[in-house]
Amino acid sequence: MYLLLRDRIVSGELKAGARLPSELALAGQYEVSRVTIRLALDLLAREDLVEKRVGSGTYIKGAVFGQPVTADLSNAFAHLIEMGRSTAVKLISFEYVEAPARITEALRLEDDERVQKSVRVRSFDDVPFSYLTAYVPERIGRGYSRDDLANLALLELIERSGLKTETAWQEVGAVLANPEVAEALGIGVGSPLIALTRVVYGKGGQGMEYLQALYRPDRYSLQMNLVRKGSEGSRHWSPTSEVYRSERENGPRAGKRMVKK
């Protein structure tokens, strides 16, 4: 119920200022108990999306988010560095630890190699949108300081040391926010998050970074531009770095044609 109502508020389907039906009416509409409705409304109120007025009911406050941050998957590395320059970051932790087994395997480390583990929260327009946990081999992490990581993108720091990224593996999924992540991102426990795992490699397949990124879907989206390729009978969609934007994105001056930028 919380996720369903939250989606309707964030999407604008439920307009700011509108009064929600009573708890009893909502319970009947969705065939759940009044307790369930009350708990869902409490979570929405905690996120400042609704306002409970004694003797009057519950009113929509609406989502006050600006334009969400977007990431172009076909040009991921350039976007990561640019985002590091245009968003604010809060460094939660910075330490050197023994590498978990999955990190050792993914980064192709020696069994006794340690890693630098950092946790950061990125914000845009003063609203947190990502919770980033990164693992970097200690021999690479020693090339920059805690203060450096609090001010520059991790990938930029790695490449500043003379190392060059060449390839990466990436997986995108979804998870629910645990209490620690929920508090850092200012959302309710159990809220849905975009989950992205990326492993970056350098020359000869050298492991350079293992990133676990969690994003608020109301503040961040992943996009990919595609182009139709292949001969007749075997045509397929393939990623491209070209960006095509519609009239809705470019405004009325763009007309009805697709505009390439």
Side-chain angles (χ1 to χ4, degrees):
M1 277 309 309
Y2 157 73
L3 296 177
L4 189 152
L5 292 173
R6 189 180 192 281
D7 265 355
R8 295 181 64 192
I9 295 171
V10 171
S11 68
E13 180 183 346
L14 295 176
K15 302 296 184 182
R19 181 180 181 275
L20 280 174
S22 68
E23 292 179 1
L24 184 60
L26 286 171
Q29 179 183 348
Y30 292 103
E31 299 182 348
V32 296
S33 70
R34 287 188 65 178
V35 172
T36 296
I37 296 295
R38 189 174 299 117
L39 290 173
L41 295 178
D42 286 344
L43 288 172
L44 293 171
R46 192 180 306 167
E47 288 194 44
D48 209 28
L49 293 175
V50 301
E51 179 185 7
K52 291 186 173 184
R53 302 176 188 173
V54 178
S56 179
T58 302
Y59 291 80
I60 305 298
K61 297 189 69 173
V64 294
F65 311 132
Q67 189 71 15
V69 178
T70 61
D72 179 8
L73 283 176
S74 59
N75 196 17
F77 286 164
H79 168 77
L80 285 173
I81 291 177
E82 180 58 33
M83 185 168 67
R85 294 169 177 163
S86 61
T87 60
V89 64
K90 178 181 180 181
L91 185 61
I92 304 297
S93 67
F94 181 94
E95 58 184 336
Y96 291 90
V97 299
E98 293 184 7
R102 72 182 188 285
I103 307 301
T104 295
E105 181 179 359
L107 291 178
R108 301 165 184 168
L109 304 176
E110 298 295 333
D111 290 340
D112 59 347
E113 273 196 88
R114 296 205 310 162
V115 290
Q116 176 198 93
K117 177 184 177 183
S118 63
V119 177
R120 293 163 293 155
V121 173
R122 284 204 173 277
S123 299
F124 185 71
D125 287 344
D126 296 323
V127 179
F129 71 90
S130 69
Y131 186 93
L132 312 171
T133 304
Y135 299 86
V136 174
E138 182 175 12
R139 62 181 183 278
I140 296 176
R142 293 293 182 183
Y144 53 86
S145 68
R146 182 189 183 98
D147 287 342
D148 289 333
L149 191 55
N151 291 284
L152 295 172
L154 176 55
L155 195 60
E156 185 172 10
L157 290 173
I158 292 175
E159 293 197 326
R160 191 181 68 175
S161 68
L163 298 171
K164 298 297 180 184
T165 56
E166 292 192 354
T167 61
W169 171 88
Q170 183 167 274
E171 180 180 62
V172 179
V175 298
L176 300 179
N178 64 32
E180 181 179 0
V181 174
E183 181 179 1
L185 294 181
I187 56 178
V189 175
S191 296
L193 297 171
I194 299 171
L196 183 148
T197 300
R198 180 186 295 120
V199 188
V200 179
Y201 299 98
K203 185 176 181 180
Q206 175 193 16
M208 299 174 68
E209 176 194 9
Y210 184 105
L211 174 69
Q212 295 174 311
L214 301 176
Y215 299 101
R216 288 176 52 165
D218 57 350
R219 294 293 295 159
Y220 186 86
S221 66
L222 296 164
Q223 300 177 351
M224 179 177 288
N225 302 297
L226 305 173
V227 63
R228 193 74 166 157
K229 289 186 175 182
S231 56
E232 195 65 32
S234 62
R235 290 175 62 76
H236 60 278
W237 291 106
S238 181
T240 176
S241 59
E242 297 286 356
V243 178
Y244 295 85
R245 300 192 186 277
S246 66
E247 177 186 2
R248 178 182 177 186
E249 293 168 305
N250 285 289
R253 293 185 180 180
K256 293 185 177 180
R257 62 189 176 88
M258 298 300 287
V259 179
K260 181 171 76 172
K261 290 189 174 182

